[in-house]
Amino acid sequence: EEMKAAGVSPNAHTFASSLKACGTVGTIDKVDEIYTEIRRKGILEKDVVIGNTLVDIYGKCGLLENAQSIFNELLVRNVVTWTSLISGYAEHGHDEQTITCFEQMQLEGILPDALTYVYILKCCGTLAAIIVGHRIHIQIEGKESLYKDVFVGNALINMYMKCGCLTEAQEVFDKLPVQNVVTWNSLIAGYARKGLGQKALECFRKMQDKGVSPDAVTYVCILKAC
């Protein structure tokens, strides 16, 4: 505001930083105002960073029509653009639309990153879309660096458990080079959810033997198993 009052015209970097600040404090009216100015200057179509920021902010605020509209305007879309849209749909329970976006992303030849996979696997678990989830698992296995990512691994375990594929979930768990408290919780919660209390307790004991400290979620899951 002081910059504008001083007569200094903002550029793309100014707009990107200001939008991130608006997203942090939740001033959506200000986002709309900045967006209008960006469109007037004709910057949106040319600057992927600004486009990504707008899609991300509107998506997180649940204004999915706005996010989709801006997404459609962008001449250049990268993995961040797609993941920003996918996360908006996923975080607000539009699981089928999330999967549709993911499939369109791949048709355009954009390679997903770890965050994309985490969101799409969460939706597969919610919808019990095991065929899509298994196909994604095969993709991830082909990328060694991604398969070693603990967040992707946790998402795979959670997806398989929600789909009732306990053997597959255990296999993913066993292959992970790093297993944190969330990894163990996903496994314990899955067994508890399926009524396999003894198996959940066994995992709980192994978790403690490995020196992984339980958190509140672990205790809730293990008490349910008991």
Side-chain angles (χ1 to χ4, degrees):
E1 295 293 348
E2 289 176 5
M3 176 183 181
K4 287 169 72 177
V8 181
S9 183
N11 63 12
H13 295 292
T14 321
F15 285 127
S17 300
S18 300
L19 284 168
K20 286 177 183 176
C22 291
T24 302
V25 297
T27 52
I28 200 66
D29 290 343
K30 193 65 182 175
V31 173
D32 292 337
E33 183 184 318
I34 295 172
Y35 171 45
T36 300
E37 190 170 348
I38 289 168
R39 291 202 67 178
R40 189 169 62 246
K41 289 178 176 287
I43 298 174
L44 180 63
E45 295 83 358
K46 303 170 188 174
D47 196 291
V48 70
V49 175
I50 287 180
N52 293 350
T53 306
L54 280 165
V55 172
D56 184 59
I57 291 171
Y58 280 126
K60 283 178 178 173
C61 291
L63 299 169
L64 301 174
E65 287 186 10
N66 299 50
Q68 184 71 63
S69 176
I70 291 164
F71 178 90
N72 293 341
E73 285 184 54
L74 297 176
L75 299 179
V76 178
R77 297 189 290 238
N78 58 20
V79 63
V80 178
T81 325
W82 281 97
T83 304
S84 296
L85 189 66
I86 284 168
S87 68
Y89 281 120
E91 286 176 359
H92 291 89
H94 296 266
D95 299 308
E96 291 182 1
Q97 184 62 39
T98 304
I99 293 175
T100 299
C101 282
F102 179 75
E103 290 171 346
Q104 289 173 345
M105 173 185 180
Q106 294 193 298
L107 286 173
E108 288 198 10
I110 306 294
L111 296 176
D113 62 12
L115 190 58
T116 322
Y117 282 122
V118 167
Y119 280 117
I120 197 67
L121 286 168
K122 179 184 175 185
C123 293
C124 288
T126 303
L127 294 171
I130 188 59
I131 294 174
V132 178
H134 184 64
R135 191 166 69 238
I136 291 167
H137 185 187
I138 292 169
Q139 286 183 25
I140 293 167
E141 278 192 321
K143 303 171 183 178
E144 189 175 347
S145 60
L146 267 178
Y147 201 65
K148 291 179 179 178
D149 188 295
V150 68
F151 298 104
V152 174
N154 293 348
L156 272 169
I157 293 168
N158 197 42
M159 183 273 294
Y160 275 127
M161 280 297 190
K162 284 186 175 179
C163 291
C165 301
L166 309 186
T167 303
E168 288 83 350
Q170 185 68 59
E171 286 175 356
V172 172
F173 178 90
D174 293 338
K175 287 181 182 178
L176 287 178
V178 177
Q179 295 152 342
N180 61 17
V181 65
V182 178
T183 323
W184 284 98
N185 287 350
S186 297
L187 202 64
I188 291 168
Y191 283 126
R193 195 183 300 120
K194 295 298 177 183
L196 299 173
Q198 288 298 333
K199 190 71 176 175
L201 284 166
E202 182 186 323
C203 288
F204 180 63
R205 294 190 194 98
K206 286 181 180 178
M207 173 186 182
Q208 292 179 303
D209 290 343
K210 294 280 186 179
V212 179
S213 298
D215 63 9
V217 176
T218 320
Y219 288 120
V220 169
C221 293
I222 205 65
L223 285 167
K224 284 182 180 178
C226 291

